[in-house]
């Protein structure tokens, strides 16, 4: 570290310590429980990360408060021209989420070099798995996207990994299915942190609609229906990108899986029915008025000629 950087770092450090001491003293005096106080301190630290960009120091301090819940982000992926571009976008969104753990599952026999390199370069906390889709379920190039279930094997693999490696009661967090072909606002991850059981929100540009969203009862503020391009009467007419689940529920319901036996288009709906009911969904993103995720769907490139020596 050169002299100038060193001075700047010390200045921030002193500033941080003074402000922290004042805040902590104030919080200890004013909070009625230790839990409330710890959560306040965490909020303060998060504020520092955004306002002062004190990432290394702040991460060090955050690690000490090791009970911060983790957002387990599950991303199935498969090889095609745009794979690296898509995964780059997703990984760089997750770099803005300090408590993300990225679980990437390749539809492949083995871990590929492309994905291994990309996730290790990201510096994120990651788990890299593989699960091959059986040939009978593979989409043919000309098949419409809805014709077969997609990502079943890969999402189940990730759920098994969570259940084998995390412990109910000890590990705290949330589970979110983050497909590699969508675009995400980081605000979504702050919303996920509010979930008690299952949280839901609108998804932009999906199902032939500008937005698909749960509809709230104006009286109770609870979900009483859906605006959805396809079968809005499904018990949960919600896209894969439109919900996240408390980790406790995933660990408690070890049987909850995706399945090829489910009716086409009912994966999300049937999966959610393991955990909750429509009335108990928690509407997020300002009572489902804000859009923080979009089904952007990258156009399939037409590559007529390959320049050798490049991994695109
Ligand atoms: C959401 O709606 C409830 C009542 O239905 C209201 O109490 C609450 O303030 C609203 N929240 C936001 C963020 O708009
Ligand atoms: C869920 O998926 C995992 C991984 O594919 C599998 O091992 C397990 O048997 C499945 N469970 C059920 C109940 O289908």
């Amino acid at each position: 570290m050169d002299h100038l950087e060193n001075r700047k770092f010390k200045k921030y450090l002193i500033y941080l310590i003074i402000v922290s001491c004042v805040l902590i003293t104030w919080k200890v005096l004013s909070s009625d429980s230790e839990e409330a106080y710890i959560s306040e301190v965490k909020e303060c630290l998060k504020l520092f990360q955004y306002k002062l960009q004190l990432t290394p120091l702040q991460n060090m301090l955050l690690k000490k408060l090791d009970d911060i819940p983790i957002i387990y982000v599950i991303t199935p992926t498969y090889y095609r021209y745009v794979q690296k571009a898509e995964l780059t976008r997703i990984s760089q969104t997750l770099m803005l989420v300090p408590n993300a753990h990225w679980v990437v599952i390749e539809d492949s026999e083995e871990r590929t070099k492309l994905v291994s390199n990309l996730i290790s370069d990201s510096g994120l906390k990651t788990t890299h798995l593989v699960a091959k889709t059986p040939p009978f379920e593979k989409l043919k190039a000309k098949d419409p996207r809805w014709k077969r279930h997609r990502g079943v094997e890969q999402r189940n693999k990730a759920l098994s990994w969570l259940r084998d490696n995390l412990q109910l009661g000890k590990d705290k967090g949330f589970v979110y299915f983050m497909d590699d072909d969508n675009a995400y606002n980081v605000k979504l991850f702050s919303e996920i942190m509010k979930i008690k059981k299952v949280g839901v929100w609108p998804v932009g540009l999906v199902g032939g609609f500008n937005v698909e969203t749960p509809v709230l009862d104006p009286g109770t503020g609870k979900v009483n229906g859906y605006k959805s391009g396809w079968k809005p009467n499904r018990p949960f007419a919600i896209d894969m990108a439109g919900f996240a689940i408390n980790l406790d529920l995933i660990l408690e319901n070890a049987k909850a899986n995706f399945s090829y036996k489910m009716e086409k288009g009912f994966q999300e709906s049937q999966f959610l029915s393991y955990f909750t009911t429509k009335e108990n969904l928690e509407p997020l993103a300002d009572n489902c008025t804000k859009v923080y995720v979009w089904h952007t769907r990258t156009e399939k490139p037409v590559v007529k000629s390959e320049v050798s020596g490049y991994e695109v």
Side-chain angles (χ1 to χ4, degrees):
M1 206 182 285
D2 68 26
H3 183 62
L4 195 68
E5 247 179 30
N6 204 355
R7 251 182 44 199
K8 211 164 119 191
F9 185 76
K10 276 187 190 156
K11 204 177 88 188
Y12 273 136
L13 190 63
I14 289 166
Y15 180 62
L16 179 77
I17 289 168
I18 293 171
V19 177
S20 300
C21 288
V22 172
L23 281 172
I24 289 168
T25 312
W26 176 61
K27 283 300 168 193
V28 171
L29 292 177
S30 65
S31 65
D32 34 34
S33 75
E34 196 189 340
E35 250 171 49
Y37 144 61
I38 297 224
S39 91
E40 288 294 343
V41 173
K42 274 191 220 155
E43 284 306 312
C44 296
L45 289 172
K46 272 192 224 149
L47 211 76
F48 278 122
Q49 184 179 42
Y50 283 104
K51 300 286 178 239
L52 300 177
Q53 308 268 308
L54 271 175
T55 314
L57 180 61
Q58 192 250 357
N59 279 346
M60 203 175 77
L61 290 167
L62 271 180
K63 267 188 205 127
K64 296 221 183 297
L65 299 163
D66 59 3
D67 56 343
I68 188 166
I70 304 296
I71 304 177
Y72 293 92
V73 177
I74 296 176
T75 305
T77 187
Y78 63 98
Y79 181 73
R80 73 269 194 209
Y81 267 121
V82 297
Q83 184 182 33
K84 195 173 173 186
E86 303 278 48
L87 290 175
T88 298
R89 189 184 58 245
I90 298 306
S91 69
Q92 297 194 352
T93 301
L94 291 177
M95 286 176 200
L96 300 169
V97 183
N99 56 333
H101 180 133
W102 195 24
V103 183
V104 181
I105 319 93
E106 289 192 72
D107 184 350
S108 163
E109 301 279 3
E110 288 173 15
R111 297 173 191 192
T112 63
K113 241 167 75 185
L114 187 154
V115 176
S116 304
N117 291 343
L118 191 142
I119 70 174
S120 74
D121 284 351
S122 74
L124 294 165
K125 189 145 182 35
T126 55
T127 296
H128 186 181
L129 305 169
V130 291
K132 189 130 182 78
T133 302
F136 64 89
E137 286 297 341
K138 260 249 151 52
L139 269 179
K140 297 198 185 65
K142 284 193 194 124
D143 286 347
R145 285 163 65 96
W146 48 264
K147 199 166 166 192
R148 294 266 186 221
H149 295 314
R150 299 160 70 239
V152 168
E153 222 73 35
Q154 293 76 30
R155 292 193 185 97
N156 284 350
K157 181 84 181 189
L159 292 170
S160 299
W161 184 87
L162 294 172
R163 288 166 181 147
D164 291 345
N165 291 279
L166 302 175
Q167 228 179 309
L168 184 63
K170 181 169 160 282
D171 295 294
K172 294 289 168 196
F174 311 93
V175 176
Y176 182 49
F177 296 103
M178 187 181 191
D179 287 352
D180 66 2
D181 54 354
N182 293 337
Y184 301 84
N185 185 326
V186 282
K187 284 183 183 161
L188 182 61
F189 297 90
S190 312
E191 295 299 304
I192 290 175
M193 298 289 284
K194 300 176 187 166
I195 291 173
K196 294 188 181 71
K197 288 180 180 289
V198 179
V200 292
W201 47 80
V203 178
L205 311 177
V206 62
F209 277 37
N210 59 340
V211 61
E212 282 192 351
T213 180
V215 177
L216 310 192
D217 181 295
T220 62
K222 295 190 170 189
V223 177
N224 71 358
Y226 307 94
K227 288 237 188 309
S228 158
W230 188 74
K231 294 200 180 174
N233 293 330
R234 283 174 289 164
F236 302 93
I238 300 174
D239 184 83
M240 200 63 79
F243 67 89
I245 302 179
N246 193 306
L247 176 66
D248 285 352
L249 269 70
I250 298 283
L251 299 179
E252 277 165 9
N253 297 277
K255 288 217 170 93
N257 249 5
F258 295 97
S259 155
Y260 294 114
K261 293 195 193 84
M262 292 175 182
E263 205 185 317
K264 307 287 181 237
F266 276 78
Q267 289 284 353
E268 294 93 333
S269 190
Q270 296 203 11
F271 185 67
L272 281 172
S273 63
Y274 280 106
F275 306 107
T276 188
T277 58
K278 186 164 76 178
E279 294 69 32
N280 286 312
L281 292 172
E282 296 152 42
L284 295 169
D286 285 359
N287 288 329
C288 292
T289 60
K290 296 278 186 347
V291 179
Y292 294 144
V293 51
W294 300 262
H295 245 263
T296 34
R297 289 183 41 190
T298 309
E299 188 183 338
K300 196 172 173 206
V302 181
V303 176
K304 292 191 181 132
S305 170
E306 283 203 356
V307 179
S308 67
Y310 285 86
E311 180 199 75
V312 179

